[in-house]
Amino acid sequence: MPNEDMYQLLLKMKDGDQQAFQTMYEATYRDVYRTVSFLVDHQQDREDIMNEIYMQMWTSLANYDTDRPFHFWLHGLVIRQVQRFRVKGWRRFRIFERVRAFAREESYQDQHTALMDGTNRILSQSIRKLTDKQRTVIILRFFHDYTLEEIANLLDIPLGTVKSRYHAGLQALRKNVWNLPPERMEMINDY
């Protein structure tokens, strides 16, 4: 969707237009869901977070500065909601989450269609093996093309910390996908 159309929807949403919100939801849902899918393992958790993201979008739209890029603001909502979810989960279900972690490997195979391809599945599993902090930086860098400076701004952390997480994440990914045949490595480069 062109930026001008997006801007007009935002203005209508600020006036309380629910149809504009629905249109915005349909225009952004896939991108947001893809990001959440890489950051959160369980399907039900993803859906809960998606609901929270769009509720937060609706309620905090008055605070949105229209001079800033919309997708940058939206990805900030995504990251904050994922972090909020993690904190809540850690506090309330710490023991329960440990048990659920054993079931993660099986649940990966029935997820988003982008994860179904064999090579993409290997890459996706490698990304999921990263720490939450490394995974967040890698997803923002490679799936949303943010610069390291923008990621530092989005996560509100020092640039050096972002660089450290980025390089550690890349190193871990290289280690995990190193043994793939050359034709699969080309597919990863396209990914």
Side-chain angles (χ1 to χ4, degrees):
M1 176 180 290
N3 284 337
E4 182 57 35
D5 293 344
M6 190 84 66
Y7 180 74
Q8 293 302 321
L9 283 176
L10 289 170
L11 292 178
K12 290 179 181 177
M13 287 171 56
K14 280 187 170 185
D15 292 337
D17 185 337
Q18 293 182 359
Q19 183 60 41
F21 178 79
Q22 179 66 29
T23 304
M24 180 66 76
Y25 175 83
E26 291 168 3
T28 59
Y29 176 81
R30 293 184 65 166
D31 181 49
V32 170
Y33 187 79
R34 184 176 68 165
T35 301
V36 171
S37 294
F38 276 106
L39 297 175
V40 177
D41 294 330
H42 300 284
Q43 179 67 29
Q44 183 59 48
D45 296 339
R46 292 177 190 160
E47 292 173 9
D48 292 343
I49 292 170
M50 291 294 291
N51 289 336
E52 292 296 323
I53 289 167
Y54 283 97
M55 285 295 295
Q56 185 68 35
M57 175 196 285
W58 182 258
T59 58
S60 64
L61 196 58
N63 301 328
Y64 171 64
D65 179 4
T66 54
D67 293 332
R68 296 182 63 196
F70 173 71
H71 285 286
F72 190 78
W73 179 74
L74 179 60
H75 290 139
L77 288 178
V78 170
I79 297 301
R80 283 189 294 280
Q81 289 302 323
V82 168
Q83 289 172 337
R84 187 172 295 146
F85 171 80
R86 287 180 181 151
V87 169
K88 277 198 288 187
W90 181 80
R91 288 180 182 157
R92 294 182 183 169
F93 305 108
R94 190 171 61 191
I95 295 174
F96 182 68
E97 287 296 315
R98 288 181 186 160
V99 173
R100 289 174 44 175
F102 290 113
R104 286 183 183 164
E105 290 296 322
E106 293 177 356
S107 68
Y108 292 158
Q109 296 179 2
D110 61 353
Q111 304 303 321
H112 191 267
T113 55
L115 305 177
M116 297 308 287
D117 176 69
T119 301
N120 287 344
R121 188 174 37 229
I122 292 170
L123 183 58
S124 296
Q125 289 172 347
S126 296
I127 290 172
R128 291 181 193 285
K129 290 178 183 176
L130 298 175
T131 67
D132 290 340
K133 293 177 180 177
Q134 291 171 345
R135 190 179 341 156
T136 300
V137 170
I138 294 294
I139 295 300
L140 290 173
R141 177 70 186 107
F142 288 105
F143 290 111
H144 300 294
D145 293 327
Y146 288 123
T147 66
L148 296 179
E149 292 82 10
E150 289 172 326
I151 294 169
N153 187 23
L154 189 63
L155 299 177
D156 196 26
I157 58 177
L159 178 60
T161 303
V162 171
K163 288 180 179 178
S164 174
R165 292 176 185 174
Y166 175 71
H167 291 295
L170 286 180
Q171 189 174 23
L173 286 175
R174 284 187 191 112
K175 182 180 174 185
N176 289 333
V177 297
W178 184 257
N179 294 326
L180 287 177
E183 62 273 7
R184 286 192 156 197
M185 290 301 291
E186 291 174 10
M187 292 176 68
I188 289 173
N189 290 334
D190 294 339
Y191 186 64

